[in-house]
């Protein structure tokens, strides 16, 4: 039994590492959700907040059905997926905070509708929910886009 080792030239190793970084950037690019996904998810969440705040129970079903359909279409079109994050304490706190924020918006919409008899509260809170979800998605996209750009500069 012989133990053979091959020496790798430093230039060859550098080229291999650059190739790996390039392919990682391509994979991240394919894994990022497109803008239509962010817009549609944000719109559906905002619509759901509006409908709940406005008390239009007959229409809750539409955004509830639309959310998983949009996610399913996106997953079927995605050629790769970003590594799933582990449930760290920070992630759990962010998720609980987002849920509390949406519930707060719903309660504000219900209060304004009940107090003033107008749909202005539910409309404004629906728009705030839409913009919040869109901003969260765009910040996530920017995080991965910055990582791709940073890897390209190296």
């Amino acid at each position: 039994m012989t133990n053979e080792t091959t020496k790798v030239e430093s230039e060859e190793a550098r080229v291999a590492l650059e190739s790996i970084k390039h392919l990682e950037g391509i994979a991240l690019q394919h894994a990022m959700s497109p803008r239509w996904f962010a817009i549609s998810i944000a719109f559906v969440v905002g619509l759901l907040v509006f409908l709940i705040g406005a008390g239009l129970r007959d229409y809750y079903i539409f955004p509830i059905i639309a959310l998983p359909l949009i996610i399913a279409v996106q997953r079927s079109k995605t050629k790769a997926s970003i590594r799933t994050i582990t449930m760290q304490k920070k992630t759990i706190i962010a998720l609980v905070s987002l849920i509390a924020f949406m519930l707060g918006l719903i309660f504000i919409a219900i209060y304004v509708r009940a107090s003033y008899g107008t749909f202005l509260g539910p409309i404004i809170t629906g728009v705030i929910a839409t913009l919040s979800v869109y901003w969260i998605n765009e910040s996530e996209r920017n995080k991965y886009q910055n990582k791709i750009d940073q890897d390209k500069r190296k």
Side-chain angles (χ1 to χ4, degrees):
M1 186 188 280
T2 59
N3 189 4
E4 293 184 30
T5 58
T6 21
K7 290 188 177 184
V8 178
E9 298 291 327
S10 63
E11 182 65 25
E12 187 179 345
R14 187 185 62 73
V15 169
L17 284 174
E18 285 176 3
S19 175
I20 290 170
K21 288 286 187 185
H22 176 71
L23 292 174
E24 183 182 76
I26 291 171
L28 273 175
Q29 192 72 36
H30 285 291
M32 282 193 313
S33 58
R35 289 216 190 313
W36 71 263
F37 179 72
I39 292 169
S40 59
I41 289 291
F43 176 75
V44 170
V45 169
L47 180 64
L48 185 60
V49 168
F50 165 74
L51 291 173
I52 293 171
L56 301 172
R57 290 189 183 107
D58 295 341
Y59 303 105
Y60 290 2
I61 192 73
F62 297 119
I64 290 172
I65 290 173
L67 272 175
L69 286 176
I70 292 168
I71 292 169
V73 167
Q74 169 57 25
R75 283 198 172 231
S76 71
K77 288 185 174 190
T78 304
K79 298 173 186 164
S81 65
I82 297 173
R83 251 184 260 150
T84 57
I85 51 176
T86 57
M87 288 304 247
Q88 299 172 346
K89 188 176 185 179
K90 170 171 75 168
T91 305
I92 293 171
I93 291 171
L95 186 59
V96 169
S97 299
L98 180 64
I99 292 169
F101 177 69
M102 292 299 165
L103 286 174
L105 286 175
I106 290 168
F107 290 140
I108 290 169
I110 291 170
Y111 174 76
V112 169
R113 182 179 51 87
S115 296
Y116 300 107
T118 180
F119 282 124
L120 189 59
I123 290 171
I124 291 173
T125 56
V127 169
I128 291 170
T130 300
L131 294 175
S132 300
V133 170
Y134 182 75
W135 176 76
I136 289 169
N137 194 293
E138 282 301 304
S139 64
E140 188 72 13
R141 278 182 57 84
N142 288 338
K143 175 182 147 185
Y144 286 112
Q145 190 62 48
N146 289 341
K147 182 174 175 23
I148 291 167
D149 293 342
Q150 183 182 18
D151 289 343
K152 282 182 182 177
R153 280 186 250 135
K154 286 184 178 179

